[in-house]
Amino acid sequence: MNPEPPSTSQSTARFGRIAILWRGDEAARRAATPATSRFKAVFTALADVGVDAEPIVYEDDIRDAVCARLARFDGVLVWVNPIHEGRNRANLDALLREVMARGVWVSAHPDVILKMGTKEVLHRTRTMGWGCDTALYRTAEAMRAGFPARLAAGPRVIKRNRGNGGQGVWRIEQLTSSGAQPMVRVLDATKDVSEVVALDEFLERCVGYFDDGCVIDQQFQARLSEGVVRCYMAGDHCAGFGYQNVKALVDAPAARAEAGPRLYTSNADPRFQRLRRLMEDEWTPQLTSLLDIAPRDLPMIWDADFMLGPPGADGTDSYVLGEINVSSVFPIPAESSAQIARCVADRLRSKA
């Protein structure tokens, strides 16, 4: 009987060793294995292209131990949200800069996250084809001075600079008021029901957001209830799509009733080929140029969320950027793991 041929991962030459890092407690650290983690497909895809990968589960209380371990790798892929149960990435980002100084490659680089993974990117790229009427406020005083006039022209969306899961995102609509105090209807993206408050009260709620550097004020997109398309990117190549009817910032009961989970699909989905061409051929090159990011430093996995904007003269839909996610993009389309692996292999080859 002939022996079985070796698996792809066994026969492929090994040429790099990376860590895959995510946040977790001591129990999660003890249980972490490539075969049982949520990144199982990524571990497998990396092995198939000749990259050995090991799990590292991070928390701030073991910072030094993690730093020492990472120094022994060629690179690290990081999946950690900017805000999680009251904790931020400040200690982790300092650690990552430290290991980068020792020659370890990191994706996504903390400086790249600050450039493209915060809401400020909506203002910096507002003149691109995906942009819309967007303002930026650096102080609470600037917001008090500029926001009321923009709100008078129509509903707005306020976004804190750093956050995830809809934290610090609001839809605001001005109401007719017979009194001296302007009133607004506000809907928190993490809540199901809107509330009516005084405009001054809402502005006071936003004061703490300036600890993140700025607040973004974006025109509300009336077609939000038609769904959001998420374009997944591995470096500068499209790695798949996700489509979802959302509840966040949607107040119409019928539209909210149609909301459901994100449905994933490959980068070959015919519904989104125009968006793919725009992302690969136009918008990603424009993004890296505007933000001064070398294409080779783009994250191994990132995504851009798009709402439908006003149709063009020929009836073609336009797309409006709602946010870019960089810090912890997961789950991902099934085909994305192979795209990530190829990008990692190319990056390690160039590093060598």
Side-chain angles (χ1 to χ4, degrees):
M1 180 181 294
N2 293 327
E4 292 185 4
S7 67
T8 303
S9 60
Q10 292 174 325
S11 60
T12 301
R14 321 313 293 170
F15 64 88
R17 178 169 172 260
I18 71 162
I20 295 181
L21 182 149
W22 65 91
R23 191 190 288 275
D25 59 15
E26 183 178 353
R29 289 194 290 274
R30 290 196 303 266
T33 68
T36 59
S37 84
R38 61 177 178 154
F39 305 109
K40 176 181 177 180
V42 179
F43 280 107
T44 299
L46 287 166
D48 287 343
V49 297
V51 177
D52 297 317
E54 298 178 22
I56 292 184
V57 181
Y58 170 84
E59 195 45 88
D60 288 345
D61 60 359
I62 58 166
R63 178 198 183 282
D64 292 343
V66 170
C67 187
R69 284 190 64 189
L70 289 179
R72 301 194 292 268
F73 288 86
D74 298 303
V76 55
L77 297 178
V78 181
W79 269 278
V80 175
N81 280 321
I83 299 174
H84 178 74
E85 297 180 352
R87 292 163 291 178
N88 59 34
R89 285 183 46 132
N91 292 326
L92 174 61
D93 287 345
L95 177 158
L96 294 174
R97 288 190 168 91
E98 186 175 332
V99 299
M100 284 188 296
R102 302 182 188 181
V104 179
W105 163 72
V106 175
S107 181
H109 190 299
D111 292 342
V112 173
I113 292 175
L114 289 175
K115 288 181 177 181
M116 62 184 290
T118 61
K119 303 301 190 298
E120 186 172 352
V121 73
L122 299 173
H123 186 258
R124 296 189 65 181
T125 64
R126 66 192 184 282
T127 60
M128 287 176 46
W130 66 29
C132 70
D133 174 15
T134 305
L136 179 149
Y137 309 116
R138 293 288 181 192
T139 65
E141 292 73 21
M143 185 174 178
R144 289 182 183 279
F147 180 63
R150 290 181 176 273
L151 181 62
R156 309 292 296 182
V157 176
I158 290 296
K159 301 180 178 182
R160 68 182 298 172
N161 195 32
R162 302 200 73 171
N164 51 276
Q167 298 176 80
V169 178
W170 300 81
R171 173 182 171 175
I172 306 93
E173 180 181 1
Q174 182 172 279
L175 299 177
T176 302
S177 178
S178 57
Q181 179 70 273
M183 304 298 290
V184 293
R185 177 177 288 108
V186 299
L187 179 58
D188 183 335
T190 66
K191 303 290 179 60
D192 292 334
V193 180
S194 62
E195 58 180 318
V196 174
V197 299
L199 176 57
D200 283 347
E201 179 183 335
F202 173 74
L203 293 173
E204 188 63 28
R205 293 182 187 182
C206 298
V207 169
Y209 296 166
F210 291 96
D211 293 342
D212 293 328
C214 66
V215 166
I216 298 300
D217 168 11
Q218 193 176 37
Q219 179 184 18
F220 176 73
Q221 298 301 312
R223 300 181 67 189
L224 177 62
S225 60
E226 296 180 43
V228 172
V229 181
R230 176 168 287 183
C231 180
Y232 293 86
M233 301 290 291
D236 57 3
H237 288 84
C238 178
F241 296 96
Y243 180 80
Q244 183 178 24
N245 285 325
V246 298
K247 289 198 298 184
L249 303 186
V250 175
D251 55 7
R256 292 179 64 84
E258 294 178 356
R262 182 174 292 111
L263 304 177
Y264 299 94
T265 186
S266 77
N267 60 8
D269 191 315
R271 295 175 297 172
F272 306 123
Q273 291 310 293
R274 178 170 170 269
L275 178 57
R276 177 181 179 177
R277 290 192 297 271
L278 287 169
M279 281 294 290
E280 292 185 339
D281 300 340
E282 297 183 29
W283 290 344
T284 300
Q286 291 172 15
L287 176 72
T288 55
S289 177
L290 273 172
L291 303 186
D292 191 25
I293 297 173
R296 69 194 298 269
D297 290 335
L298 283 167
M300 293 298 97
I301 186 68
W302 57 284
D303 69 58
D305 281 350
F306 292 100
M307 302 162 286
L308 292 175
D314 61 354
T316 302
D317 284 326
S318 62
Y319 294 99
V320 177
L321 181 68
E323 68 176 349
I324 291 177
N325 300 292
V326 175
S327 301
S328 186
V329 177
F330 206 85
I332 55 179
E335 297 84 359
S336 297
S337 295
Q339 290 269 25
I340 294 170
R342 286 192 288 269
C343 283
V344 170
D346 289 344
R347 184 67 179 84
L348 292 180
R349 289 190 190 99
S350 67
K351 183 175 183 287

